[in-house]
Amino acid sequence: MDVMLPSEQETKDYETALLQVKTSQENKIKARTAGKKIEEEYNFKLNSMKETHRQMFMLFTMDGCPACKVIKYLIRYNQDIKNALDPYEIMIINVTNVDCHLVKKMNVYSYPAYFMIDKDENIIKKNYGCNALHDPVIPIVNWINMQVDNVVKS
């Protein structure tokens, strides 16, 4: 019986496939690890909220999303938004290449997604997208200020 040897191309394809499988497995492990870190941060902030009775502003983003970049920039550098968010715990979650159970828990289906939750994890408000990319400050600030007003009234 003759033993068939693989061609040089078949051997290269085989080695490439093995490397892809290994890389895929490593990426899954990295994604799970990153997801666990996010969930640990979330649980830490949630426990802190139970003591301080603060609410949490959560922003889910993804690489390659222009609206996500705009909103992240505004949260970091726009003084009106920084002031409006000051009373809240803030959590910005980039889900690119991350296996994060919070995405399923919060039913995130589009990016950017922003949520306001209370200490008992009740979703007070959620919104998707950037309502006005030509002037995104207005809807975000108005929405946040409305949330602040609602808390003050209650």
Side-chain angles (χ1 to χ4, degrees):
M1 179 174 196
D2 290 338
V3 175
M4 238 175 95
L5 296 175
S7 69
E8 190 175 317
Q9 184 60 46
E10 287 173 321
T11 301
K12 284 181 183 178
D13 290 347
Y14 169 77
E15 290 170 353
T16 300
L18 278 178
L19 182 60
Q20 288 172 337
V21 167
K22 182 180 177 188
T23 302
S24 175
Q25 290 170 340
E26 289 171 353
N27 287 341
K28 285 180 184 177
I29 291 169
K30 287 178 186 175
R32 280 191 216 112
T33 302
K36 285 179 183 176
K37 286 181 182 177
I38 289 169
E39 289 163 20
E40 287 171 4
E41 179 184 357
Y42 173 77
N43 289 327
F44 177 80
K45 289 185 181 225
L46 198 60
N47 287 331
S48 171
M49 289 167 49
K50 290 179 182 178
E51 295 173 12
T52 62
H53 302 285
R54 293 173 68 173
Q55 295 176 341
M56 186 185 306
F57 175 82
M58 299 175 72
L59 173 65
F60 290 85
T61 68
M62 182 171 257
D63 288 351
C65 165
C68 297
K69 291 175 184 176
V70 169
I71 291 173
K72 282 194 307 189
Y73 178 89
L74 293 172
I75 287 171
R76 287 191 178 115
Y77 302 110
N78 180 283
Q79 196 58 48
D80 291 335
I81 291 176
K82 287 172 75 171
N83 291 342
L85 287 174
D86 192 50
Y88 298 93
E89 292 289 338
I90 299 171
M91 190 159 181
I92 299 173
I93 303 164
N94 184 329
V95 300
T96 304
N97 300 323
V98 173
D99 182 6
C100 180
H101 295 290
L102 286 175
V103 172
K104 293 176 187 163
K105 184 176 187 172
M106 299 295 180
N107 194 25
V108 177
Y109 59 84
S110 176
Y111 300 95
Y114 32 109
F115 293 75
M116 190 71 69
I117 65 167
D118 67 15
K119 62 182 176 60
D120 298 317
E121 298 184 86
N122 297 313
I123 296 173
I124 298 166
K125 174 75 176 169
K126 71 180 180 178
N127 204 343
Y128 294 92
C130 194
N131 297 329
L133 274 177
H134 63 279
D135 189 8
V137 177
I138 309 272
I140 296 170
V141 170
N142 288 344
W143 178 73
I144 292 169
N145 286 334
M146 185 177 70
Q147 297 310 308
V148 171
D149 290 344
N150 289 339
V151 170
V152 170
K153 289 177 187 175
S154 59

